[in-house]
Amino acid sequence: MLLGDDIIDAETPVLKQMMLVHQRYPATILAIQKVPRSQTGQYGIIDAKRIENGVYLVKHLVEKPAPREAPSNLAIIGRYILTPEIFPALEQTRPGKGGEIQLTDGLKLLMDKQPIYAYEFQGNRYDAGDKLGFLKATVEMASRTRSSEASSGATCRS
């Protein structure tokens, strides 16, 4: 599952990176990124045990915790490889934060039945759900496109 408000620029697409992890650990895989502790209230945050470089076994998840209550600064970012067992878990999930059924809460139920892993992906993430993040992504991508057109001799007509 890919959430559209996260734009990730990576040499190897993040989902492909995650699929390589999934081959070693055939279970649900969450994309994660370290965020400043002051921003934990904007994300699902994991408590996890590092099992290899960039790969963690998730012990606990918290949806949008206050910085002082966050178990870490490892934030779940909008890329997931979910096993089919997530559907029964979501059916059992009650509305949580904001009165909505939260995927994080469904993942907590799933974790009772099977392991969940997290992968700290390689790449630059832009939060397109935030006006400044969307603007940064637009400028970065446009400037790169413009640079590659200039180096290839392409011209732009308006």
Side-chain angles (χ1 to χ4, degrees):
M1 179 171 77
L2 301 118
L3 301 183
D5 58 351
D6 288 308
I7 297 173
I8 303 173
D9 181 30
E11 189 171 315
T12 301
V14 173
L15 202 51
K16 184 172 185 179
Q17 294 175 45
M18 293 172 69
M19 288 168 63
L20 295 172
V21 173
H22 183 72
Q23 287 174 356
R24 293 191 312 274
Y25 304 98
T28 291
I29 310 289
L30 313 174
I32 59 167
Q33 179 182 47
K34 289 179 181 152
V35 297
R37 194 163 278 277
S38 62
Q39 294 179 9
T40 58
Q42 300 173 29
Y43 302 94
I45 301 293
I46 67 168
D47 181 15
K49 177 184 176 188
R50 183 176 176 263
I51 57 173
E52 65 175 82
N53 190 29
V55 180
Y56 298 80
L57 177 62
V58 178
K59 299 188 300 187
H60 186 62
L61 304 118
V62 181
E63 181 63 25
K64 300 180 180 172
R68 68 185 177 286
E69 298 167 0
S72 74
N73 68 332
L74 297 173
I76 302 169
I77 303 302
R79 303 289 182 273
Y80 306 80
I81 294 177
L82 301 168
T83 61
E85 292 79 13
I86 191 61
F87 296 108
L90 288 172
E91 286 176 356
Q92 296 173 21
T93 302
R94 300 288 166 240
K97 204 138 197 164
E100 300 175 345
I101 293 177
Q102 299 289 336
L103 178 58
T104 303
D105 294 334
L107 289 167
K108 282 192 235 180
L109 289 176
L110 180 62
M111 216 170 14
D112 292 340
K113 296 182 175 29
Q114 61 184 232
I116 294 178
Y117 295 90
Y119 173 67
E120 193 172 359
F121 63 87
Q122 302 297 310
N124 295 318
R125 175 185 164 259
Y126 302 95
D127 182 356
D130 171 76
K131 289 176 187 172
L132 181 58
F134 181 76
L135 182 59
K136 285 180 181 177
T138 302
V139 170
E140 288 285 327
M141 300 296 157
S143 66
R144 185 168 324 126
T145 301
R146 190 81 168 143
S147 295
S148 68
E149 288 175 351
S151 66
S152 70
T155 58
C156 179
R157 297 181 192 187
S158 358

